[in-house]
Amino acid sequence: MSYTEIQGEKVPIRMWADPAGVEDVAMAQLRNVATLPWIKGLAVMPDVHFGKGATVGSVIAMKDAVCPAAVGVDIGCGMTAVKSSLTANDLPGDLSGLRSRIEAAIPVGRGMHGEPVDTGRVYGFGNTVSPAGWDDFWDRFDLVADEVKFRRERALQQMGTLGSGNHFVEVCLDEDGAVWLMLHSGSRNIGKELADHHIGIARDLEHNQGLVDRDLAVFLAETPEMSAYRNDLFWAQEYAKYNRAVMMGLLQEVLRGQFRKARVTFGEVISCHHNYVAEERYDGMDLLVTRKGAIRAGSGDYGIIPGSMGTGSYIVRGLGNEKSFNSASHGAGRRMSRNAAKKRFSTQDLEEQTRGVECRKDSGVVDEIPGAYKPIEQVIQAQTDLVEVVAKLKQVVCVKG
């Protein structure tokens, strides 16, 4: 599908979504973003929907400015996946035991580890985590905003934990029967607290007082406020990456422990943020590109585009389309709010829509029912000029927060 271009006030709004299918409040947000004085480009992904300030599923490129609300409050939220040497034939008929072992190894919801994950184990997780890098990362916590420094111990204990909402850990099968591990999480509450702190500061800055929406407040280059935000932003993005790396290591340990006879091995880990800021160059300009509910899809970049908890997901490779600022969607995208889903669907609906998946089927996750999300196949089909499909996965175990 080629994109549709709608003229915005400062820049065209390039849409890989059908404008007629985008909710009015989301379209209004896109038009608001296109009025920002610093904006140089706006790309809209097929999973776009209403968010705080800026839509989820939008890519915003600005010169010498960044909008914290266009990053999302779960800074660095993203996906990690890896292919294993196991096949469907290795899995037991009853997967409830495997799900229980995963839930025991990785705290879910608001849970945390009783003690911080042993760094010696982190180094052995097969990820690119060096002792020097790990120690330097935590040393830099002393430089984040004073208002959140008291959260250090909690941040340490939440490292390697899932969180709640739409975060998940899955065991999947590809179309050849190979077993994959996949998970979705972010910077836990520490990233949200840093985001909320800086959004509050930005809203009060003088240059933001005339904006159409105060939630679109920005920081400007070469100001103390921008320097402080960038420091905390990039630290939180790194926290999220480490968090997923540690969880993936714990998940791999679970499989190695359960399938000792198979001597499980793993391929190269794929990891991608989908709420973050990157410094990139387009049309001869150095820009700050925020992806809120979008992944980088530069030429050859591997990415993960998940569906809902009963429908499956895709491993993709970017095609490097600069019209989208080398971006693609981050998932299926919600088509109704959590409250609307709870009112419309029952636990019986959840059981029917997740048949064949070992997962929670209680009222606490009805808001995550597949019917509350857009069809993932349509989302993939809408961006064939942004990514190519490498593998299609179907979950057999899904652990929710």
Side-chain angles (χ1 to χ4, degrees), residues 92-103 258 358-359 397:
D94 182 357
L95 293 169
S96 60
L98 177 57
R99 175 185 155 202
S100 295
R101 288 182 179 89
I102 294 171
E103 291 171 338
Q258 173 137 352
E358 173 58 43
C359 64
V397 178

Side-chain angles (χ1 to χ4, degrees), residues 121-144:
R121 291 174 64 201
V122 173
Y123 307 147
F125 283 160
N127 300 292
T128 54
V129 181
S130 69
W134 182 260
D135 293 341
D136 174 68
F137 167 72
W138 284 109
D139 287 344
R140 283 187 281 115
F141 185 84
D142 294 334
L143 302 177
V144 303

